[in-house]
Amino acid sequence: MVLVEQASELLRQLPESQIKNQEELLHLIWYLEKNRPLILADEIRKQLGLRNSSNQGENANDLLVADRQKNNGMSWSKAGSVALASVTALKRNQEYQHWFKNHTLEFNLIA
């Protein structure tokens, strides 16, 4: 059960003597309210036994883009960056033969 509203209300009721930085408290309340739909999604994913972190996506980005583009001191256009990442993904996932032959990709989602 997601208790964003109750958490926000609890934060609003904290005595000023317990708050070091009022702006940060307001930012936290704003963050909870703004991200309410995502917090709900995280709770549902947890109940379904699915991952909530983005570390696999970030790791894939590091493998596909960052190592090649950032660490070599190169400057890339957005289109060039996307193209290189796409080709690298095809190679890493061993999908390039399927892509060149059928112009389609097979996606297998992993929880």
Side-chain angles (χ1 to χ4, degrees):
M1 176 170 28
V2 179
L3 304 173
V4 172
E5 191 171 315
Q6 291 87 337
S8 296
E9 185 59 33
L10 179 67
L11 291 171
R12 285 187 186 91
Q13 293 177 8
L14 285 173
E16 283 191 38
S17 62
Q18 293 183 357
I19 302 169
K20 290 183 180 181
N21 187 329
Q22 184 70 28
E23 283 185 35
E24 287 299 318
L25 177 66
L26 294 174
H27 182 261
L28 176 58
I29 294 169
W30 169 82
Y31 177 86
L32 288 171
E33 294 297 327
K34 178 185 146 217
N35 291 297
R36 180 190 306 255
L38 300 175
I39 295 169
L40 177 60
D42 284 354
E43 180 63 26
I44 292 169
R45 290 184 64 79
K46 181 179 177 184
Q47 290 175 10
L48 293 172
L50 300 173
R51 298 173 58 89
N52 279 328
S53 73
S54 63
N55 60 358
Q56 285 182 329
E58 291 170 14
N59 185 26
N61 177 63
D62 287 344
L63 293 171
L64 296 176
V65 179
D67 281 349
R68 177 67 185 235
Q69 295 179 15
K70 293 180 183 175
N71 294 336
N72 289 332
M74 299 177 184
S75 178
W76 292 81
S77 68
K78 185 174 181 176
S81 179
V82 170
L84 180 61
S86 300
V87 170
T88 305
L90 285 172
K91 181 181 175 191
R92 288 192 64 80
N93 294 319
Q94 299 177 356
E95 280 288 318
Y96 59 91
Q97 291 177 341
H98 186 81
W99 170 254
F100 291 131
K101 182 178 179 183
N102 303 314
H103 297 283
T104 60
L105 297 175
E106 291 185 19
F107 288 100
N108 297 314
L109 299 178
I110 299 173

